[in-house]
Amino acid sequence: LVNCSNLASVSLPIVEQIDAFAFNGCSRLASIYMPNVKSIGVNAFGRCSLLTELSLPYVTNIATSAFTNCSQLSQISIPNVSYIGGSAFAYTIISAISLPNISSLENVAFVSCSKLESVYIFTSYIPSVGNNVFRYTPLSDSSYLGYFGSIYVKESLADAFKSALRWSLYSARIVGLTDAEIAAL
């Protein structure tokens, strides 16, 4: 269905895997219902410019560029994702994302997400992180866009995050929260 300009919605209630480039360039795709998907392939939804929100409760693996250039994508729920590939959400407008089970964020996974202000990572370990994951976002360690965001982690891991390889680039944005603060979110 690559570049299918008439496709407005997709409902795949029993599908567990979306292959590479499956819906790439479907410029009118605004709604997807895939409650059982566990894996999304390379550039599967790239350039789906009308897609505004995602709820993928069982997805664990999001491949490289899976949602890149989904320029209206602003809300994402991916509570079980453990792997996010490079440029997976590049050039989207998400403002917040919760990654409670993440183990790996690859290079530039959220590059140029100009509204990304809040990332919640409440794992009991420090996930691996690639280069420039949050480059050109309010999370970067510069005054890009004139405002700053925060990466929220468990208070017990905040110092470890701040000194960990590549996470240290965002040390000024890392905020530790107590268990009570996390429960209140």
Side-chain angles (χ1 to χ4, degrees):
L1 297 175
V2 174
N3 294 321
C4 183
S5 61
N6 292 322
L7 184 66
S9 67
V10 171
S11 180
L12 301 169
I14 60 172
V15 171
E16 293 187 2
Q17 178 176 325
I18 303 297
D19 290 335
F21 294 92
F23 299 97
N24 183 277
C26 293
S27 58
R28 290 190 185 159
L29 183 60
S31 171
I32 61 173
Y33 176 71
M34 303 181 302
N36 292 305
V37 166
K38 295 177 182 162
S39 179
I40 298 179
V42 172
N43 226 319
F45 292 92
R47 302 180 302 121
C48 292
S49 55
L50 293 183
L51 191 61
T52 59
E53 62 183 75
L54 291 174
S55 179
L56 301 169
Y58 297 107
V59 74
T60 58
N61 184 353
I62 298 176
T64 301
S65 301
F67 295 96
T68 194
N69 287 310
C70 290
S71 57
Q72 298 302 308
L73 185 57
S74 62
Q75 295 182 355
I76 301 171
S77 175
I78 48 176
N80 287 302
V81 73
S82 60
Y83 175 85
I84 296 177
S87 300
F89 293 101
Y91 304 100
T92 63
I93 57 170
I94 43 181
S95 59
I97 189 162
S98 180
L99 302 169
N101 292 303
I102 197 71
S103 60
S104 182
L105 290 166
E106 296 300 319
N107 297 340
V108 297
F110 294 95
V111 70
S112 295
C113 291
S114 62
K115 297 185 180 203
L116 185 58
E117 291 183 5
S118 301
V119 175
Y120 301 91
I121 300 175
F122 299 133
T123 57
S124 56
Y125 52 86
I126 299 173
S128 70
V129 65
N131 291 315
N132 300 309
V133 170
F134 302 112
R135 187 174 185 147
Y136 304 127
T137 74
L139 298 168
S140 63
D141 201 25
S142 68
S143 60
Y144 181 71
L145 301 175
Y147 56 97
F148 297 105
S150 297
I151 300 169
Y152 298 97
V153 300
K154 287 184 176 184
E155 185 177 56
S156 60
L157 290 175
D159 288 339
F161 264 94
K162 290 178 182 182
S163 61
L165 180 64
R166 295 191 194 101
W167 284 108
S168 62
L169 294 173
Y170 310 104
S171 62
R173 307 288 157 252
I174 294 172
V175 177
L177 298 179
T178 65
D179 289 340
E181 290 170 319
I182 292 169
L185 292 174

